[in-house]
Amino acid sequence: MGINRRHWGALASVLLLATGCTSGSDAPPEPTAPPTGSAAVARVCADPEAGPAQPPAGAVTVDPAVVGDLAAKTKDSPPHTTFWLQPGTHTLAADRYAQVVPKEGDSYLGAPGAVLDGRKTNEYAFSGAAADVTIRYLTVQGFVAPQNEGVVNHDSADGWVIEHATIQDNSGAGLMAGARQRVRANCLRGNGQYGINAYKAGAPLSDLVVEGNEITANDTDQWEKRQPGCGCTGGVKFWAVNRADVRGNWVHDNRGPGLWADTDNNDFRIEDNLLEANDGAALIYETSYNAVIRGNTIRRNDWVEGRNAADRGDDFPYATVYLSESGGEPRIPARTDKIEIDRNVLEDNWSGITLWENADRFCNSPANTSSGDCTLLVKDTARCAQPTIASAPLNADCRWKTQRVDIHDNRFTLDPSVVGCTVKCGRMAVLANYGTYPDWSPYKGEQVAEAITGKQQNRWHDNAYRGPWSFVAHDPSRTLDFGQWQGRPYQQDAGSTFQPRAGG
């Protein structure tokens, strides 16, 4: 699993080169309510939809007064049973491994006020390999899953549907994801690590829908502080997911990134979301392929991580949308063969969009933090070695490339008085480091920086800028004004407009 945070130079040389903004308070900004009347963005936590007040015909009724009643009745019932949890707090046996193990096709419906509480004792709520399980209208809280594990669908079984649930105040991830999973209209709030960890060990995870959820205040255990550089925090983490639709969610106030797709993800559509007030980037797309990022409202993100990096004196252009070794690849089937970033509104974030490619990070390199993983173009990691890696096709295919990125028809606004900085707090960037490592690397020197900047079809055009934006190209030392960015040799943002004052 990839944990790349912004690698620079040799192995273990992780220089998170952020902007040079002056610092203010570390407190995150207050969230702004979703646009009034917006059908695309859900305000779920404040107004959850209530479940059925009476049991459906044929349902098994579960009594909160009987400890372990849900687990016992699940065990004793046949597959495809519907369970109706009465109002009240339901509990499991006082054993860390006590859990509900559904059978194929089981459904769990919570009555108004039905809560399944792990009492900070049980690790998992729902687990096992049964497919096509449904959980609706139920609050699941107080479970203590270990790091990187999840409370609901602990074993990433396929075909689960989780709707109108509140999954909150658990350790680890609120829920895991399997293939064909549907996660709709839930409140995923205040979990210790992630709201969702979309990862399935040893098997493909495909066809995932995350729609209309409120995903907020996750990573309460602040794993990045406990394990610096772990890359293990945020609202949602996606690992090796093929085809995902992430739409209409309100992702806000997470301690870390809002959405993070990390390592060999492909074919994502991230549309019509409101991503705001996350401590880190609104969106990271890392060592992954082919995506559409469209129609999102992205505001007030990365204030905490960007400001902290500035205080450290780092010089990397921290971004609210960060593409790290990710791009379009026509040879990998998807609904697009590019990364398309269009028709988004980015307002008062720490910075803008950064396209980055670490020259030292490639399949089989010790600098690849996605240890053991290779690109989707090379199945055998051992092939990415000298002498074969020095020539075609492996010279190209052993790299995750930031290429074929099309950024257009977006609106970027920045008011430094709102963000709380005075200089260089708003930057767009396309850059790489000088290749140095390992000693057998065929990518040494400036070749990757030159490729990402001018040879890999990365293009900004027809955007609108308001505010004191600056631009970084090739490497962190090259900061450009808008005219230089548009001029040779970079020739970016053709057809775009630029107003240096946010309110102008």
Side-chain angles (χ1 to χ4, degrees):
M1 288 182 268
I3 307 176
N4 177 36
R5 294 293 296 162
R6 288 120 183 129
H7 296 278
W8 188 264
L11 177 66
S13 178
V14 183
L15 309 180
L16 307 182
L17 306 168
T19 61
C21 297
T22 57
S23 300
S25 169
D26 279 350
E30 290 297 318
T32 305
T36 302
S38 171
V41 179
R43 191 169 191 171
V44 180
C45 295
D47 189 22
E49 185 168 327
Q54 299 296 325
V60 173
T61 297
V62 182
D63 186 354
V66 179
V67 174
D69 197 39
L70 179 61
K73 286 179 175 174
T74 297
K75 182 178 179 181
D76 293 341
S77 300
H80 302 281
T81 297
T82 296
F83 301 90
W84 180 73
L85 284 74
Q86 291 180 321
T89 300
H90 298 254
T91 58
L92 303 173
D95 181 319
R96 63 187 293 190
Y97 296 119
Q99 57 202 272
V100 181
V101 184
K103 297 182 176 71
E104 182 179 349
D106 282 351
S107 293
Y108 298 85
L109 303 178
V115 177
L116 179 61
D117 196 330
R119 298 176 292 172
K120 302 300 181 183
T121 298
N122 312 117
E123 292 192 354
Y124 316 123
F126 295 92
S127 63
D132 304 325
V133 171
T134 298
I135 298 170
R136 292 189 174 102
Y137 309 112
L138 182 63
T139 294
V140 180
Q141 64 186 32
F143 289 82
V144 286
Q147 183 187 11
N148 296 323
E149 297 186 36
V151 169
V152 174
N153 196 11
H154 169 261
D155 296 293
S156 302
D158 295 339
W160 284 40
V161 175
I162 300 97
E163 294 179 326
H164 305 294
T166 297
I167 303 174
Q168 63 184 10
D169 302 329
N170 303 287
S171 299
L175 63 92
M176 303 295 288
R180 300 180 288 104
Q181 184 152 305
R182 302 293 180 260
V183 183
R184 297 190 181 103
N186 302 287
C187 172
L188 306 174
R189 173 174 60 190
N191 296 291
Q193 189 174 5
Y194 305 117
I196 305 172
N197 187 9
Y199 168 71
K200 184 166 185 173
L205 198 174
S206 60
D207 189 18
L208 174 65
V209 173
V210 179
E211 181 176 19
N213 305 281
E214 184 174 352
I215 303 168
T216 182
N218 295 290
D219 189 33
T220 58
D221 291 335
Q222 299 190 50
W223 279 101
E224 286 288 346
K225 289 186 177 180
R226 296 166 65 174
Q227 296 180 2
C230 73
C232 59
T233 62
V236 184
K237 193 71 180 282
F238 304 90
W239 307 89
V241 176
N242 184 57
R243 190 180 176 104
D245 291 329
V246 183
R247 56 180 176 251
N249 302 284
W250 186 22
V251 183
H252 66 97
D253 291 276
N254 294 285
R255 307 280 80 82
L259 304 173
W260 191 343
D262 186 353
T263 307
D264 287 342
N265 298 279
N266 176 52
D267 196 6
F268 271 51
R269 298 186 74 94
I270 302 170
E271 298 178 314
D272 301 321
N273 301 283
L274 174 57
L275 311 175
E276 69 173 334
N278 298 289
D279 284 4
L283 169 63
I284 299 175
Y285 205 70
E286 179 179 356
T287 53
S288 294
Y289 303 88
N290 300 326
V292 174
I293 302 165
R294 176 174 295 154
N296 302 285
T297 298
I298 303 172
R299 59 194 182 199
R300 302 188 178 205
N301 294 281
D302 210 22
W303 286 17
V304 172
E305 291 190 6
R307 181 172 287 114
N308 288 345
D311 287 346
R312 296 194 300 269
D314 292 337
D315 195 31
F316 192 88
Y318 261 62
T320 194
V321 175
Y322 178 51
L323 271 59
S324 176
E325 297 89 26
S326 292
E329 176 48 74
R331 292 174 291 173
I332 298 174
R335 290 167 287 181
T336 179
D337 60 5
K338 300 187 293 184
I339 292 185
E340 304 173 76
I341 305 175
D342 65 285
R343 288 174 268 174
N344 303 285
V345 175
L346 287 84
E347 177 183 352
D348 291 330
N349 300 285
W350 188 258
S351 265
I353 297 172
T354 290
L355 310 186
W356 161 255
E357 191 172 329
N358 179 4
D360 300 329
R361 188 183 194 191
F362 53 93
C363 177
N364 208 27
S365 168
N368 175 30
T369 54
S370 300
S371 55
D373 292 297
C374 201
T375 70
L376 293 181
L377 298 171
V378 180
K379 302 300 182 184
D380 182 2
T381 299
R383 295 180 63 209
C384 295
Q386 292 287 7
T388 54
I389 195 174
S391 58
L394 293 178
N395 185 259
D397 292 353
C398 289
R399 292 199 63 81
W400 290 273
K401 291 185 177 181
T402 303
Q403 64 180 8
R404 298 174 59 82
V405 181
D406 191 6
I407 302 168
H408 64 93
D409 294 288
N410 302 285
R411 186 166 79 244
F412 303 106
T413 66
L414 175 68
D415 184 341
S417 69
V418 172
V419 178
C421 63
T422 57
V423 293
K424 295 185 179 179
C425 58
R427 293 198 274 181
M428 298 286 165
V430 52
L431 75 167
N433 57 314
Y434 189 91
T436 62
Y437 184 84
D439 58 8
W440 53 269
S441 170
Y443 311 111
K444 290 182 179 179
E446 295 186 348
Q447 59 179 297
V448 174
E450 291 171 355
I452 190 176
T453 305
K455 300 176 182 178
Q456 292 181 178
Q457 303 178 61
N458 297 315
R459 185 172 177 239
W460 279 255
H461 63 98
D462 298 297
N463 299 295
Y465 296 88
R466 286 192 176 188
W469 291 93
S470 59
F471 305 86
V472 179
H474 189 276
D475 62 74
S477 70
R478 301 189 190 184
T479 299
L480 314 171
D481 62 27
F482 189 61
Q484 293 169 321
W485 176 246
Q486 285 192 309
R488 292 183 180 278
Y490 309 108
Q491 295 183 292
Q492 292 291 358
D493 265 317
S496 297
T497 61
F498 180 72
Q499 291 181 285
R501 291 185 178 272

